[in-house]
Amino acid sequence: MATHVTPGYAPVEEGAIVRATRRISWGAIFAGVVIAVAVQLVMGILGTGIGLSMVDPVQGSTPGAAGFGIGAGLYWLITTVVALGAGGYAAARVSGVTEKFDALVHGLVVWGVTLLLTMYLLTSAVGGIIGGAFRTVGAVAGAAGSTVGAAAPKVAQVAGVDQNDVQAEAAKYLTETPTDPAQMTPEQAQKEIAKQLPAMARGGVDGARAEARVVDIVAAQRKISRDQAQAQVNQAKAEFVQTKNEAVAKAKQAADAAAGAGAKTSFILVLALLVGAGASAFGATAASRRRLR
């Protein structure tokens, strides 16, 4: 390799001059990313083995979910710091930079590329699995829908059911409910009450008419006076309103808890990412200081 000799100074290699003019080395960054991902993977597998070794349902010494989750989070944070620190150190060391700022940039780029690569691998893998599953379900449903019309007559023929009998049985579901509540069967009464409930919920003139209809049905089916039927309907309405209010309150509490947990998780994740960036930058600047010494 050719050298440049200047009077009064030590000889300098051409490679050193070339490296000095190049502020960033993508080859070194790629090497740092590979090291960071490999270290993270190895330590993650090691942590999984440690966690599974702590599970002992026979002896009843399995750690609680809260403690186990906190321990797993701390271990993930430690592995991230170690992996990104090693990746940033390797990138700055291999690149041959001597400026502290250049080393810092190499470390931050290693952190950014590692983060983007990890997010891409997670989203592409999960998205591919979910997309493939939904495409399979859609294909099966489409095939079933296209063949059910042709298969129904054959199934009826194999089962020994006449088509006229099927039509007669289906016609029973379309028969009108008797107007007189006393002539209704219990099934017809239930269907009629279910049909009137939406109007009762809306209120107004239609709601009052629907409620009167329900009271008449209850009085005729239970053979009680109309006042007693009205009291039972009012009690049922009050219980329904109370149940609905309780369900709404529980839903609001669950939504608030979920929002709080999501915000807390987001802040913790941002903090972990910043810690990873600091670890990568610290490893890179440490390599540059060693180079200067």
Side-chain angles (χ1 to χ4, degrees):
M1 181 180 295
T3 56
H4 298 271
V5 180
T6 304
Y9 296 93
V12 181
E13 297 180 356
E14 285 185 355
I17 297 176
V18 173
R19 287 194 299 268
T21 58
R22 185 174 59 236
R23 299 294 299 272
I24 189 168
S25 173
W26 285 103
I29 291 173
F30 177 76
V33 170
V34 171
I35 292 175
V37 173
V39 172
Q40 183 80 38
L41 180 60
V42 171
M43 297 188 69
I45 296 174
L46 178 61
T48 302
I50 296 174
L52 292 177
S53 65
M54 298 174 62
V55 177
D56 191 1
V58 177
Q59 299 294 332
S61 59
T62 302
F68 196 82
I70 294 174
L74 291 176
Y75 183 82
W76 175 77
L77 182 61
I78 293 173
T79 57
T80 301
V81 170
V82 173
L84 289 175
Y89 182 90
R93 184 70 176 173
V94 173
S95 64
V97 295
T98 56
E99 294 290 336
K100 184 176 180 180
F101 179 78
D102 294 347
L104 178 66
V105 170
H106 278 76
L108 292 178
V109 173
V110 167
W111 166 76
V113 174
T114 303
L115 177 62
L116 294 177
L117 179 62
T118 303
M119 294 300 297
Y120 171 76
L121 292 177
L122 290 176
T123 55
S124 62
V126 176
I129 293 173
I130 295 177
F134 276 104
R135 283 193 296 270
T136 302
V137 172
V140 172
S146 63
T147 58
V148 67
K154 296 181 180 179
V155 172
Q157 183 178 1
V158 171
V161 180
D162 186 70
Q163 187 174 0
N164 295 328
D165 295 337
V166 175
Q167 293 178 354
E169 184 67 21
K172 294 180 180 179
Y173 295 95
L174 301 178
T175 55
E176 296 182 357
T177 304
T179 305
D180 187 3
Q183 298 178 358
M184 295 180 183
T185 63
E187 292 78 10
Q188 291 175 338
Q190 292 177 3
K191 292 181 181 179
E192 183 66 18
I193 292 175
K195 187 170 64 176
Q196 299 297 331
L197 288 179
M200 286 181 58
R202 289 192 300 269
V205 178
D206 294 337
R209 188 182 300 111
E211 183 175 350
R213 176 68 170 167
V214 171
V215 171
D216 293 337
I217 294 173
V218 172
Q221 291 293 316
R222 296 188 175 181
K223 296 180 175 56
I224 58 178
S225 64
R226 199 174 188 283
D227 293 337
Q228 292 176 339
Q230 182 67 56
Q232 292 183 2
V233 172
N234 292 337
Q235 182 180 359
K237 287 172 58 179
E239 292 176 354
F240 173 77
V241 171
Q242 182 180 0
T243 303
K244 183 184 70 174
N245 293 336
E246 292 177 355
V248 171
K250 291 181 180 179
K252 289 182 178 179
Q253 293 177 359
D256 293 340
K264 184 177 180 180
T265 303
S266 299
F267 291 139
I268 293 176
L269 183 59
V270 169
L271 179 61
L273 293 176
L274 293 178
V275 170
S280 182
F282 176 79
T285 53
S288 69
R289 288 196 296 270
R290 182 171 180 176
R291 190 79 173 184
L292 287 173
R293 288 198 298 269

